[in-house]
Amino acid sequence: MTTFNLLVAPFLEFGFMRRALIGCLALSLSGAPIGVFLVLRRMSLMGDVMSHAILPGAAVGFLLSGFSLFAMTLGGVVAGLAVALAAGFISRTTPLKEDASFASFYLVSLGLGVLIVSLKGSNVDLLHVLFGNVLALDDPAIYLIASIATVTFLAFAVVYRLLVAECFDPGFLRSVGGAGGAVHFLFLVLVVLNLVGGFNALGTLMVVGLIILPAASSRFWSESIGGQIIAAALIAVVSSYVGLVVSYHVAVPTSPAIILTAGAIHALSLLLGRHGSFLRQMLRAQHLRG
């Protein structure tokens, strides 16, 4: 098998492969800055919680309209924002911390979502909701993911500096004008939108992997936030492409192939990255001993 047949031919011959690649690329580019800021804020697990928080809303949309893109997307957005607001309210009005609030909603949301899907659908439908079907992306789904990516780019262009400031010193924005709460809420909205967009491709259990794993890996390749965003985007794009190629040729599920590729890149970054990797620590230790 030639290199062309291995790496390029599947995307030239089959429209579903091209649509899958376009959808994953759009999600990779918009999810990269989201993931970097989640990691910087030490909110990585919150991304996983929010990916499950959208499940009951998407499941209600499925219960009412089947696999309707509009119904499941609207339900996911409403459910995700409701959980984010409820968890924030509980953490501010009770002794329960925000991470514990999110964890509680995570468990309830996962159980409720699975129950709702099971009421109408089969095991195949449940697997589709949980793990997605990136090879079945149609034009409306791609338009949705591309629109979410565009909104994410525009939002970051406007509030990037405020997000950086709120990330490292939340009290500063509150002291100079009270914008911290608004910036934090806008960031949560972007998180929910990207999770909902990715849910249509990778499912609720896998979508957060394409957001968090590249972001975590990027910290081993760059020390600046801008550099980490670029590195995370590149890693996500490579993971998507390689995962699709492996899935096509080896006949394995696509979403796990993409996430496992991102996981392999993360392992390599941990071992060989330019900043803080095991290799760098070993070289530094040898230099100090010398």
Side-chain angles (χ1 to χ4, degrees), residues 4 24 30 33 44 49 51 61 66 72 80 92 96 110 121 141 156 173 210 215-217 244 279 281:
F4 178 85
C24 287
S30 65
S44 302
V49 170
S51 71
M72 295 182 71
R92 286 169 175 77
L96 200 64
L110 182 60
F156 270 94
L173 289 182
L210 195 59
S217 302
L244 285 169
L279 176 62
Q281 294 183 45

Side-chain angles (χ1 to χ4, degrees), residues 49-70:
V49 170
M50 293 302 296
S51 71
H52 292 85
I54 68 176
L55 181 56
V60 170
F62 170 78
L63 187 65
L64 297 176
S65 305
F67 284 108
S68 167
L69 180 65
F70 174 78

Side-chain angles (χ1 to χ4, degrees), residues 92 166 169-181:
R92 286 169 175 77
E166 201 267 339
D169 189 3
F172 172 74
L173 289 182
R174 288 195 295 267
S175 65
V176 299

Side-chain angles (χ1 to χ4, degrees), residues 192-281:
V192 171
L193 287 177
N194 278 270
L195 289 173
V196 169
F199 152 77
N200 289 286
L202 302 178
T204 57
L205 293 183
M206 294 289 170
V207 58
V208 72
L210 195 59
I211 295 176
I212 296 298
L213 280 172
S217 302
S218 71
R219 302 202 69 180
F220 295 102
W221 299 105
S222 177
E223 294 181 324
S224 69
I225 296 179
Q228 289 176 23
I229 289 175
I230 294 173
L234 290 175
I235 292 171
V237 167
V238 171
S239 300
S240 299
Y241 176 77
V242 173
L244 285 169
V245 171
V246 170
S247 172
Y248 175 82
H249 289 291
V250 185
V252 296
T254 308
S255 297
I258 292 174
I259 301 307
L260 288 175
T261 302
I265 295 176
H266 180 68
L268 289 175
S269 302
L270 184 64
L271 293 172
L272 306 174
R274 295 176 57 193
H275 304 284
S277 66
F278 289 128
L279 176 62
R280 286 294 174 180
Q281 294 183 45

Side-chain angles (χ1 to χ4, degrees), residues 3 8 16-17 20 28 46 60 118 132 135 144 149 210 226 241 245 247 257-258 261 263-264 273 276 280 286:
T3 302
V8 180
F16 68 88
M17 289 293 290
S28 298
M46 193 276 280
V60 170
S118 301
L135 297 182
L144 172 66
L210 195 59
Y241 176 77
V245 171
S247 172
I258 292 174
T261 302
R280 286 294 174 180
Q286 291 178 359

